[in-house]
Amino acid sequence: MSGSDAPPRVARALREIEAHSRVAGLRIKDAAWPVEVQLDVDSGLPSRWRAAGASPNGVREIEPVTVFFYESFPSTAPAFFLRADFDRSHPHIQPATSGPPEPCLLNGSTSELMRSRGVTGLIDQLALWLERAALTQLIDPTQGWEPVRRDRFDDYVVADPNFLRRLVEPRSDCRVLTSRFLSVRDGGEANHVVVVDEGGAKIDEGLPRRWSDERNMSCLTFVAWSGKRASGEPFVADRYLPESIVDVRGLLERAAQLGCGEQLPSKLGLLESRLRGCRLPRPVPIAIVLIPRRPCDVIGQGSPLEICPYLVELKGRDDLGARSTKPVRISAHFDTVSTSLLRRAAGEAPTEDVVPWTIVGCGSVGSKLAVHIARTGRAPSLVVDRSPMRPHNLARHALLPVSHLESALMLSKATALCRAILALGQPAKDICLDVLPALARGNSAEIAPAGTRLIVNATGSLTVRETLCKSGLSRPRVIESCLMGAGRIAYMSVEGAGANPSSLDLVTEAYVLIGQDEEMRAVAFSAPPVEIDVGAGCSSLTFPMSDARLSALTAPMAEHLARLLAEKEPSSFGELLIGFNAEDGLGQRWARRRIAPFIEVGSEKVSVRVSATVHLRIEQEVASKPGKETGGVILGRWSDVTESFHVVDLLPAPPDSKFSQTEFVLGVEGLREALDDIHRRTGGALYALGTWHNHLVVSPPSGLDARTAALLALHQFFPALLLIHVPGGYRILVAGATYKSQEP
Amino acid sequence: MVAKTTHFRVDNGDMSLIEVESGRRLLIDIDIRGAADDPEHETPDVASQLRARLKRDEAGRLYVDAFLLTHPDEDHCRGLQNHFHLGPLEDWVKADDKIVIREMWSSPIVFRRASKNHNLCDDAKAWNKEARRRVANVRANRFAADGDRILILGRDVDGKTDDLTAILVEVDTEFSKICGAHDSTFSARLLAPLPGSDEDEEDVLSKNDSSVVLNLSLKANYVEGARYLFGGDAGVAIWEKIWGRNKDRKHVLEYDVLLSPHHCSWRSLSWDSWSDLGDDAKVSADASDALGQARAGAKVLASSKPVVDDDDDPPCIRAKREYESILKPQKGQFYCIADGKGDDPYELEVTQGGVSLKKVAATAATVGSVFATTRVGAQPLPHG
């Protein structure tokens, strides 16, 4: 068979089609536009049906398929049609009422498919369609009910499917609901979107008057469902009927076939009588939703109640009776935005469980995190920020003002974010207060009411970080998320169970990690923030960077946060995630470290927290010098907010140190240089806190220890820590020097 | 998921992976030759092909739910020690990454001592040792967990299996238990091994004749989809016996797919030698009936080298002709696994209308989604 008579671009495609393993024959029936080609396609029947020549539902071993190539080919894909006697009641046939049956090959554009996979891709899809067509009708009910195929529609009915299903009672009935509509006229006919509200409506005498108002946007939705059979059993619509409704008469007949027809005619009759004497200034759509009960769950719906919406355009004096030929339009059902819809779209199970969590800080990072997560159906239940939206915030904030005027209004950031979350169908509460005073008093109930799983600190505030770590504050785990280094570095810390390691432990560890990376430390520890003028006499301390750059680093943190929110059991370990963006923004690398719980040594007044790594190194050093005291310098940070030391690194004893059975004397050789190096690498973020040494027996700090501590304290402005390792644990000695007024 | 079967390209050997609708995987025989493990060699890398089709458990171990060794010949168990974990599960080593056999399905031949008719290759010895370990464990504990489970398919001659009723499957019975759990998506009928009636006959029967013969029914959408008949290397004597026992209920021998016994050997269909007698060799009517219960559109597969018209056996051209005459009235198809292009195994999917060739890329292929695979000129579908 040759395609030489056809235009060259079609002939080329025909050669490819003929070579397809499923194409058994090809004939050109008309070489002029539109080029008509007859294909014999092997429908890939399984072995027993192939031997029989056809599947039980009539799909033949070899199916004739007519293909039309239009002049716009290859910009548009050819159209495929089946033989005229192909069973039209098949769920996967386009519900056309005239012309040859057309298979619905793809839930999308066949032209796009052809551009992506070539004309072979279309034939693959056609072959697959035929194969599935042979199998589908015999699907066992436990696989699910094939929803009625409804492919061509111009109108939409937007409703929460769970709400609609909850209306269904054992007795057949028809509920009328208030609804709103929007009409879009594109040239000829108007297309309508009907949004179903969850309140009941009355078809009262005032209706014609209300609908006669040009500004009217309200309409009605009629919901009718399958009730009981005369025998008292539930009515089950167990016959598959193709979508062929074109008018009110057909709709009412179908409603009766589906067991939904008892109350619907009288409700429509009432509406007809109300509108009998009136002409509407513009068409008002009404939605009619039939909910038949199927013998098994509808595929993808998790319920045997199938939702089939239709739309009728009313103009006044409409005939809505059993013999009416008034047109009925098949409408698509769209979910209202809901948790389960968002989760499904994000690729998660469409569950509705809620994990309460709080986001503190609704600036650019916080708003991005909250919106990313809200879009997966797991929005924060509480959003906290004390500041209002300022115009300069709009450069990077996740929310967009709907008008230029709104951009000038200074709505609270928390309130604005809260509204966005509510619009995504999820409950959230805003707190527009400075949370620090309450936290400083040890009260966290406001931002973390009982049951709160996580607090996300996206304030980028050192004060909030430290205040959240104050001892005695009862709170859930804190996850901190921020950017550093003028937007080049993303930082996320996840506390372990019981806030150990804490956010402060983790950030101190992070400084060690960053300090080890030459490229990253140069960026992290040297970028100064810039003041941006935002109005007369007003300025804001921030890092200038583009929204795109901020989003690039924030999105991976949102991904990780989503994982944490979905996890059932929190890890006992903490976690650090540090992302580094390339200078040109094209590429990023991430380090992810698990951090073991810190060892808590301390007294009532002061807390000393030693990282597991440091503890291990001390134990190893002690074990390497049996019978002698040893020691070194401890590095980390001191927080005066939490009165705590965070020990994350050690400097070994200088070579001139003295190790003996009774004492350890720290040498000085090279010590100054080593400390300077730490300072240089971490920009001062890590520093010497004091020293450590060990006692061979369990004993309290000695007099010598006390004198050393006092000496150290005089040389620094924060307390000096002497960490003493004794068999089975630690002893500490903290000495601090304070200001003494010079008495005359 | 859709039940599917994979038949690997192992020349004159057997290696099939059955994935039932519930997702359980049953491996029937292996022949992983040394050359197949050599990336430089052109022998298909069946070990990697197998591994790619298995799942890992929560501890990261690849596993098969069950491994049926039809009989302990090298071309049915080669590669066992190299690729499968043998011994207690706690001895599994991550670096070796061997495949865990949750449950062994073994013929009772593991209880026999070696004899002139019963010499074993190293892999077969390893199978026996592992089977004995598991049986001893069952005897001691009356319970076995995954990795220690075993089913003995068929009673042994001298009562050695009599105390093992919990793990014994009797010939001519059906079972649908795998790893201790009932699985409604398959059932298996055990047709053999059929021990000799006395020691003399037992001595005549070869290792081949100790083969497990299993008719496996796989469900598709909860109805029977396809039946597979696996016969190992059972010879004509066994097929005649099977016909004798089942001729009044021959439906139990029906198949949609037959893995022709002994790599399409004439010895499964006739007492005569093909190389000596050629076309004068006579078909055993009973064996032919036992292997002749093909359903409409059935496939007979030869897991062998290409079948050519020569004196070789197996595979034997005369056997192929015999199978073709069985298939003709049923509009069936004879197919030699070695005839496919490339290295890929032969894969079938089970539907309620029998078996069909696996789609080009059957993952999540539904109408409405793109299933076309990559090919020259294909480009990714962008999304905005």
Side-chain angles (χ1 to χ4, degrees):
Chain A
M1 193 64 55
S2 149
S4 58
D5 320 342
R9 59 185 192 268
V10 174
R12 226 175 6 247
L14 293 182
R15 182 165 169 267
E16 191 179 332
I17 291 174
E18 195 186 23
H20 195 282
S21 61
R22 287 289 187 82
V23 174
L26 183 156
R27 287 172 303 283
I28 299 178
K29 293 179 89 175
D30 188 347
W33 298 115
V35 180
E36 185 183 348
V37 175
Q38 179 81 41
L39 298 182
D40 293 327
V41 182
D42 182 339
S43 50
L45 294 184
S47 51
R48 289 196 297 274
W49 297 348
R50 179 171 285 267
S55 69
N57 65 347
V59 176
R60 296 180 192 163
E61 185 186 357
I62 302 289
E63 277 289 346
V65 176
T66 307
V67 190
F68 287 98
F69 291 85
Y70 302 99
E71 214 167 346
S72 52
F73 177 85
S75 292
T76 57
F80 295 84
F81 296 94
L82 305 171
R83 61 189 153 86
D85 57 348
F86 197 97
D87 184 2
R88 274 178 189 273
S89 71
H90 194 280
H92 287 292
I93 294 268
Q94 301 272 29
T97 45
S98 59
E102 185 183 357
C104 172
L105 292 186
L106 181 75
N107 193 4
S109 155
T110 49
S111 298
E112 277 297 303
L113 174 67
M114 191 174 71
R115 294 266 49 78
S116 160
R117 299 287 186 239
V119 75
T120 302
L122 291 180
I123 305 295
D124 282 345
Q125 204 67 11
L126 175 68
L128 179 67
W129 189 94
L130 286 169
E131 208 168 295
R132 299 275 151 168
L135 289 168
T136 303
Q137 207 166 35
L138 294 180
I139 279 182
D140 184 276
T142 45
Q143 286 288 296
W145 182 267
E146 194 72 36
V148 173
R149 185 98 213 160
R150 357 172 67 225
D151 293 287
R152 287 178 177 159
F153 24 61
D154 305 309
D155 307 310
Y156 302 98
V157 173
V158 183
D160 178 354
N162 295 329
F163 164 73
L164 291 179
R165 292 198 182 96
R166 279 197 297 271
L167 295 175
V168 174
E169 294 165 355
R171 198 170 53 86
S172 178
D173 202 350
C174 174
R175 286 279 301 278
V176 186
L177 303 169
T178 60
S179 303
R180 288 161 296 159
F181 73 96
L182 190 71
S183 301
V184 181
R185 190 173 295 276
D186 183 13
E189 281 200 7
N191 302 326
H192 309 285
V193 180
V194 174
V195 181
V196 183
D197 293 334
E198 301 193 357
K202 284 204 170 71
I203 309 172
D204 57 10
E205 289 168 348
L207 190 115
R209 179 177 42 78
R210 293 197 300 274
W211 284 12
S212 294
D213 184 340
E214 282 272 6
R215 292 164 300 178
N216 170 53
M217 289 184 66
S218 72
C219 63
L220 295 173
T221 296
F222 296 73
V223 183
W225 56 85
S226 305
K228 290 179 180 171
R229 291 191 184 279
S231 60
E233 291 165 356
F235 189 102
V236 176
D238 55 3
R239 252 186 80 205
Y240 182 89
L241 298 166
E243 192 60 275
S244 56
I245 293 164
V246 292
D247 55 23
V248 171
R249 180 175 59 187
L251 177 67
L252 291 175
E253 281 170 7
R254 177 59 53 88
Q257 285 168 326
L258 297 176
C260 311
E262 273 182 47
Q263 304 296 326
L264 180 62
S266 62
K267 294 277 165 73
L268 288 179
L270 178 59
L271 180 63
E272 179 187 316
S273 67
R274 293 283 186 227
L275 296 176
R276 193 160 285 151
C278 103
R279 276 253 169 251
L280 299 176
R282 60 170 182 157
V284 173
I286 56 163
I288 297 163
V289 182
L290 302 183
I291 308 186
R293 183 181 294 107
R294 298 303 188 179
C296 54
D297 280 3
V298 179
I299 289 174
Q301 298 292 310
S303 161
L305 299 171
E306 186 174 356
I307 294 170
C308 307
Y310 303 86
L311 193 132
V312 181
E313 214 178 49
L314 300 182
K315 293 170 179 161
R317 301 181 195 169
D318 304 277
D319 178 3
L320 299 174
R323 282 188 293 278
S324 166
T325 55
K326 185 168 186 59
V328 169
R329 298 152 61 139
I330 297 162
S331 311
H333 168 230
F334 277 4
D335 274 8
T336 47
V337 66
S338 67
T339 302
S340 60
L341 173 76
L342 292 169
R343 287 184 192 175
R344 205 162 55 226
E348 289 183 38
T351 50
E352 292 187 15
D353 60 300
V354 175
V355 175
W357 65 283
T358 301
I359 189 152
V360 184
C362 306
S364 38
V365 170
S367 66
K368 293 249 148 93
L369 287 178
V371 169
H372 276 311
I373 305 284
R375 285 181 164 149
T376 69
R378 295 184 190 281
S381 40
L382 214 54
V383 291
V384 183
D385 199 302
R386 63 176 180 178
S387 43
M389 274 293 245
R390 296 263 170 76
H392 76 280
N393 293 135
L394 297 173
R396 296 192 297 254
H397 203 273
L399 302 182
L400 296 172
V402 293
S403 66
H404 196 249
L405 175 66
E406 194 195 288
S407 67
L409 296 174
M410 292 178 196
L411 196 65
S412 146
K413 282 180 189 170
T415 307
L417 188 56
C418 196
R419 285 186 186 175
I421 291 168
L422 291 170
L424 288 172
Q426 293 163 85
K429 186 170 169 278
D430 54 338
I431 296 182
C432 315
L433 288 175
D434 184 355
V435 295
L436 281 172
L439 287 177
R441 285 195 307 274
N443 177 8
S444 65
E446 198 166 26
I447 64 163
T452 305
R453 182 87 69 85
L454 291 172
I455 296 175
V456 173
N457 171 15
T459 55
S461 153
L462 301 172
T463 321
V464 172
R465 174 194 293 159
E466 298 196 24
T467 310
L468 278 169
C469 288
K470 271 178 82 80
S471 66
L473 192 67
S474 160
R475 58 160 176 85
R477 285 195 302 162
V478 169
I479 292 171
E480 188 176 332
S481 175
C482 61
L483 301 187
M484 301 181 197
R488 292 281 303 282
I489 296 172
Y491 172 81
M492 187 173 218
S493 67
V494 183
E495 290 186 340
N500 187 10
S502 71
S503 296
L504 264 177
D505 298 331
L506 289 164
V507 77
T508 320
E509 284 277 15
Y511 294 152
V512 178
L513 287 176
I514 296 171
Q516 288 163 353
D517 185 315
E518 200 170 340
E519 206 185 358
M520 218 190 310
R521 72 182 180 228
V523 175
F525 297 126
S526 64
V530 172
E531 282 195 17
I532 296 191
D533 292 333
V534 295
C538 270
S539 68
S540 173
L541 202 60
T542 185
F543 289 104
M545 76 186 90
S546 71
D547 181 46
R549 182 166 282 255
L550 181 126
S551 296
L553 282 173
T554 311
M557 294 196 278
E559 283 276 294
H560 195 62
L561 179 54
R563 273 192 291 271
L564 294 168
L565 287 166
E567 98 190 345
K568 294 268 178 292
E569 277 294 313
S571 164
S572 59
F573 276 58
E575 201 174 17
L576 275 176
L577 287 98
I578 301 175
F580 189 55
N581 203 350
E583 198 164 6
D584 61 3
L586 300 177
Q588 48 183 255
R589 58 185 162 95
W590 283 83
R592 185 174 172 187
R593 293 286 169 89
R594 270 158 58 86
I595 307 289
F598 274 45
I599 291 159
E600 296 172 83
V601 192
S603 62
E604 278 176 22
K605 287 184 180 163
V606 66
S607 155
V608 177
R609 305 176 59 84
V610 181
S611 82
T613 336
V614 164
H615 171 63
L616 187 69
R617 282 168 63 191
I618 288 178
E619 298 251 290
Q620 283 168 346
E621 170 64 16
V622 169
S624 75
K625 294 196 173 61
K628 288 182 179 169
E629 287 194 6
T630 178
V633 177
I634 48 178
L635 302 170
R637 291 186 63 80
W638 153 258
S639 163
D640 53 356
V641 173
T642 55
E643 305 251 347
S644 59
F645 291 95
H646 304 266
V647 184
V648 292
D649 207 354
L650 296 176
L651 281 181
D656 57 335
S657 303
K658 293 196 175 67
F659 310 89
S660 74
Q661 201 179 343
T662 51
E663 67 170 8
F664 162 71
V665 181
L666 187 72
V668 292
E669 197 179 313
L671 189 57
R672 183 76 262 159
E673 291 80 359
L675 287 170
D676 284 350
D677 184 52
I678 298 283
H679 185 90
R680 187 181 54 75
R681 282 194 282 126
T682 64
L686 292 182
Y687 45 85
L689 297 170
T691 63
W692 78 273
H693 67 281
N694 68 314
H695 287 175
L696 299 177
V697 293
V698 178
S699 55
S702 63
L704 181 63
D705 293 337
R707 285 194 295 280
T708 310
L711 204 62
L712 280 174
L714 288 174
H715 285 88
Q716 57 196 45
F717 295 106
F718 57 91
L721 170 65
L722 252 64
L723 184 65
I724 303 162
H725 178 272
V726 296
Y730 289 93
R731 296 284 182 273
I732 59 161
L733 187 63
V734 177
T738 50
Y739 171 75
K740 294 269 187 304
S741 57
Q742 304 288 318
E743 304 242 343
Chain B
M1 61 172 290
V2 179
K4 34 182 184 288
T5 65
T6 307
H7 309 276
F8 298 87
R9 296 170 68 107
V10 289
D11 286 348
N12 281 7
D14 276 2
M15 181 161 168
S16 295
L17 178 69
I18 317 297
E19 298 175 57
V20 304
E21 218 174 26
S22 66
R24 298 265 192 188
R25 286 163 171 78
L26 163 65
L27 182 63
I28 303 184
D29 293 338
I30 50 165
D31 187 8
I32 308 173
R33 293 163 290 179
D37 292 339
D38 176 0
E40 299 297 316
H41 203 279
E42 62 184 22
T43 305
D45 182 2
V46 292
S48 298
Q49 291 171 349
L50 171 66
R51 295 170 72 87
R53 286 164 173 78
L54 301 182
K55 291 191 291 193
R56 288 188 185 268
D57 64 16
E58 67 288 348
R61 299 174 292 223
L62 284 172
Y63 68 91
V64 291
D65 292 285
F67 182 158
L68 164 63
L69 177 61
T70 58
H71 67 292
D73 261 350
E74 194 170 29
D75 54 347
H76 293 255
C77 64
R78 186 161 20 209
L80 180 75
Q81 295 174 94
N82 282 347
H83 295 279
F84 289 81
H85 173 72
L86 304 172
L89 204 50
E90 55 266 28
D91 296 345
W92 183 85
V93 178
K94 186 169 188 180
D96 297 344
D97 200 17
K98 289 187 180 178
I99 302 166
V100 169
I101 304 167
R102 289 186 163 179
E103 182 166 79
M104 294 171 89
W105 289 9
S106 178
S107 87
I109 200 171
V110 292
F111 298 108
R112 311 272 174 87
R113 288 183 188 287
S115 71
K116 68 176 171 29
N117 285 330
H118 192 58
N119 48 2
L120 295 174
C121 66
D122 286 346
D123 279 320
K125 285 177 188 158
W127 174 273
N128 277 9
K129 186 178 167 208
E130 175 66 4
R132 286 187 181 146
R133 179 188 77 77
R134 294 185 180 207
V135 169
N137 176 64
V138 171
R139 281 198 166 112
N141 301 324
R142 308 218 153 269
F143 169 80
D146 287 347
D148 287 332
R149 297 181 192 276
I150 184 165
L151 285 188
I152 301 294
L153 304 189
R155 191 178 282 273
D156 200 13
V157 267
D158 47 8
K160 284 179 188 158
T161 49
D162 288 1
D163 63 328
L164 295 173
T165 46
I167 58 165
L168 182 68
V169 177
E170 301 265 15
V171 167
D172 293 335
T173 61
E174 279 183 23
F175 67 102
S176 43
K177 254 171 96 168
I178 185 164
C179 289
H182 179 79
D183 188 322
S184 62
T185 63
F186 86 97
S187 70
R189 187 178 184 90
L190 186 64
L191 298 163
L194 300 170
S197 43
D198 53 46
E199 277 200 19
D200 289 346
E201 191 186 350
E202 188 61 21
D203 222 31
V204 171
L205 292 175
S206 63
K207 251 186 308 187
N208 284 349
D209 291 328
S210 74
S211 287
V212 171
V213 179
L214 205 62
N215 191 318
L216 197 59
S217 163
L218 304 180
K219 297 269 178 78
N221 292 321
Y222 302 86
V223 297
E224 182 172 90
R227 289 233 213 142
Y228 282 69
L229 184 55
F230 289 93
D233 284 357
V236 61
I238 297 299
W239 292 107
E240 286 184 349
K241 279 178 175 237
I242 288 176
W243 181 249
R245 293 170 82 101
N246 293 296
K247 62 187 172 194
D248 294 334
R249 48 173 185 222
K250 54 193 178 190
H251 63 275
V252 302
L253 300 173
E254 280 180 12
Y255 59 83
D256 294 285
V257 178
L258 165 69
L259 193 69
S260 56
H262 200 194
H263 328 295
C264 197
S265 165
W266 179 243
R267 293 289 185 179
S268 297
L269 288 159
S270 169
W271 291 96
D272 297 342
S273 159
W274 163 247
S275 53
D276 294 347
L277 296 177
D279 283 331
D280 290 336
K282 288 200 168 50
V283 171
S284 154
D286 282 2
S288 176
D289 281 340
L291 289 163
Q293 304 305 312
R295 288 178 165 182
K299 288 177 192 290
V300 173
L301 306 182
S303 183
S304 65
K305 294 176 176 170
V307 189
V308 289
D309 193 351
D310 61 12
D311 288 348
D312 282 359
D313 180 17
C316 175
I317 186 74
R318 177 80 193 279
K320 174 181 172 180
R321 288 182 194 140
E322 189 59 30
Y323 288 122
E324 283 177 335
S325 70
I326 288 169
L327 292 171
K328 195 172 177 196
Q330 302 302 332
K331 297 186 180 169
Q333 185 201 16
F334 179 91
Y335 182 81
C336 177
I337 308 283
D339 289 345
K341 285 184 195 155
D343 284 354
D344 287 344
Y346 184 70
E347 294 185 270
L348 293 171
E349 282 185 353
V350 178
T351 75
Q352 61 267 47
V355 292
S356 53
L357 279 178
K358 196 185 166 202
K359 286 13 143 240
V360 188
T363 46
T366 53
V367 171
S369 75
V370 180
F371 89 104
T373 184
T374 49
R375 57 167 61 88
V376 174
Q379 56 181 336
L381 276 172
H383 42 222

